[in-house]
Amino acid sequence: MSSPYGYGGPPQGAPPGRPVGPPPGVLPPPQAAPWPPQQGGYRPGPGQQPVQQPGQYQGPYQGQPYPGQQYPPQYQPQFPPYGGTGQFNGFQPPRKRGGGLRLVLLGFGILTFIGISLAVLAALLGSNGSQNTAEPKVDGGPEIVPTPTTSPEKGTAEDYLLNADVYRTGPLPVQNCPATNLGSGSLTSQKAYYERLFKCLNDAWRPIFRELGQDKPDPGLVVFDQPVTTACGNFQPLSGRVLAFYCYGNQVMYVDVKQMNRAFGPQQDLAYLMTIAHEYGHHVQGITGLFYARAVYVQENPDKKLESSRRNELQASCFAGVFSKAVARTYPLTSRLNEFKEQSSNSFGESPSTPADERTHGLATSQGFWIQNGFNVGANKACDTFAASADLVQ
């Protein structure tokens, strides 16, 4: 089965009749369970009904309890802390600065605990240049491996964020992944581009998941240019600044064709690459349990909500950088590393004029730091943003 606007439909291997995620708009209420979370059951929240997605299975589980993630009773997370049902609370675009600087807005998705991550528009700068080295690296870019400086109690959510097993996995396997031409940026052209890139993302990350004992189905992908109903709510093309989003509720990524075209046109293919690889980074966080650990951590430390959000978003960007290294030679990126550096440092995130209490993604310079760090280190050990010093997650 497949969506009329994408491919993949429900995750492969899903039993007939079993929904792939919780009801729209909210994560299910917490149930008693040990940490790390175990599998258990949820019921739809008040007024919620399971959503029938294009290409999804429909069966006896609709409106009935179904397997899902549980939380320990002592945490009792109250979803969603960023807003009510249907409120996704994406950050406001940076204020335009003076001079002749030309801004186009882009950004990566804000993680909310209604089960969605949005990619939103922030400042975009283009550049030219080339570089071709034996070992592709961003010249002058960072190359650090964050190390925890605290020792939280073993088995806690904070301990999990700092010391997750994913940081001990090696580089992603090198992929033969030549980019598909975006052509006119039409639905057909973008769909072909995403399908090629998404296959490479799945092929690159699947061995990492298996190494961690998480032999999970690949996520789904929906490319849309008309209204779409998802497990995380209903979306219209060109809604606000949403470019693409990953829905934790059903493990499907959605891409707004019209918004991507309006933000970049078909020429800025590196922006497409980084946006999709970033959103896939949120899938990595879900599969590895980092998403759920952070949900618990924020409930324990509400004063750390914004900083934690930045660490989360910057981590997804770092994972995008690690993936970019795996496709650098065949995409290719090796002759475009100057462009990669400039776009990663200026295209995604918030400006210094963004109020401190609205900084959910990190400054553009922080985004560039972590994308490039993931690329230069080339392994997931680069992406322990929860262990990084505060000045690196501004």
Side-chain angles (χ1 to χ4, degrees):
M1 290 185 180
S2 64
S3 161
Y5 309 116
Y7 81 102
Q12 297 174 4
R18 178 172 295 179
V20 293
V26 296
L27 284 181
Q31 302 290 327
W35 175 262
Q38 305 296 318
Q39 293 298 315
Y42 289 123
R43 293 182 182 275
Q48 301 294 330
Q49 294 295 326
V51 171
Q52 174 69 14
Q53 296 244 27
Q56 284 187 358
Y57 296 106
Q58 183 174 12
Y61 277 86
Q62 287 208 344
Q64 302 298 320
Y66 54 93
Q69 193 73 42
Q70 294 184 339
Y71 291 88
Q74 64 267 33
Y75 297 121
Q76 291 295 310
Q78 299 176 6
F79 297 103
Y82 288 109
T85 300
Q87 296 179 11
F88 301 99
N89 293 359
F91 68 83
Q92 294 299 309
R95 296 185 180 92
K96 291 186 178 180
R97 287 168 282 183
L101 183 62
R102 184 181 179 183
L103 299 180
V104 179
L105 300 176
L106 167 78
F108 289 135
I110 180 172
L111 172 65
T112 70
F113 297 146
I114 50 180
I116 188 170
S117 173
L118 303 177
V120 290
L121 305 178
L124 172 66
L125 292 175
S127 74
N128 296 313
S130 64
Q131 180 178 350
N132 192 352
T133 61
E135 175 64 20
K137 287 190 177 181
V138 176
D139 185 34
E143 190 172 354
I144 68 168
V145 177
T147 303
T149 57
T150 60
S151 300
E153 182 181 352
K154 294 295 183 182
T156 62
E158 182 179 6
D159 176 55
Y160 195 87
L161 291 172
L162 290 172
N163 300 295
D165 288 341
V166 68
Y167 308 138
R168 290 185 280 278
T169 57
L172 304 188
V174 174
Q175 300 298 305
N176 182 15
C177 195
T180 299
N181 194 307
L182 282 164
S184 64
S186 65
L187 172 64
T188 300
S189 298
Q190 286 198 37
K191 180 180 174 182
Y193 177 91
Y194 299 135
E195 286 182 353
R196 169 75 63 83
L197 183 61
F198 213 62
K199 181 183 185 303
C200 297
L201 281 158
N202 286 327
D203 289 346
W205 282 105
R206 197 181 298 118
I208 301 297
F209 297 153
R210 288 175 179 167
E211 181 179 343
L212 296 171
Q214 299 293 328
D215 192 7
K216 303 292 186 181
D218 295 333
L221 172 67
V222 174
V223 181
F224 67 94
D225 65 352
Q226 58 181 281
V228 60
T229 297
T230 84
C232 290
N234 301 326
F235 289 85
Q236 300 278 344
L238 302 175
S239 297
R241 297 181 178 85
V242 178
L243 289 167
F245 60 91
Y246 174 75
C247 182
Y248 289 95
N250 60 358
Q251 298 184 4
V252 174
M253 186 186 300
Y254 299 84
V255 186
D256 184 340
V257 168
K258 294 180 179 179
Q259 194 80 292
M260 292 293 287
N261 218 355
R262 182 170 70 176
F264 305 114
Q267 294 77 34
Q268 302 288 347
D269 63 294
L270 293 188
Y272 288 71
L273 166 65
M274 287 185 244
T275 299
I276 302 306
H278 168 95
E279 292 304 330
Y280 201 99
H282 288 303
H283 176 68
V284 175
Q285 291 169 328
I287 293 297
T288 60
L290 288 164
F291 166 75
Y292 303 101
R294 182 181 166 254
V296 172
Y297 175 77
V298 169
Q299 292 301 317
E300 286 189 305
N301 303 274
D303 59 315
K304 299 289 187 180
K305 181 176 67 174
L306 283 174
E307 180 183 305
S308 176
S309 175
R310 292 194 296 272
R311 291 181 186 275
N312 178 79
E313 294 297 333
L314 294 168
Q315 181 176 75
S317 292
C318 183
F319 287 145
V322 174
F323 170 77
S324 297
K325 183 63 166 286
V327 300
R329 294 187 182 280
T330 59
Y331 182 84
L333 285 173
T334 50
S335 61
R336 304 174 67 189
L337 289 179
N338 288 343
E339 180 184 354
F340 182 80
K341 178 179 180 179
E342 290 301 314
Q343 285 205 5
S344 66
S345 297
N346 297 285
S347 302
F348 314 108
E350 296 143 347
S351 79
S353 63
T354 304
D357 61 354
E358 296 178 11
R359 291 184 183 176
T360 55
H361 285 64
L363 297 173
T365 51
S366 297
Q367 286 285 343
F369 180 97
W370 288 105
I371 293 171
Q372 293 167 36
N373 194 56
F375 186 92
N376 282 346
V377 175
N380 294 319
K381 62 184 179 181
C383 301
D384 191 354
T385 55
F386 291 94
S389 59
D391 62 306
L392 296 179
V393 294
Q394 294 300 308

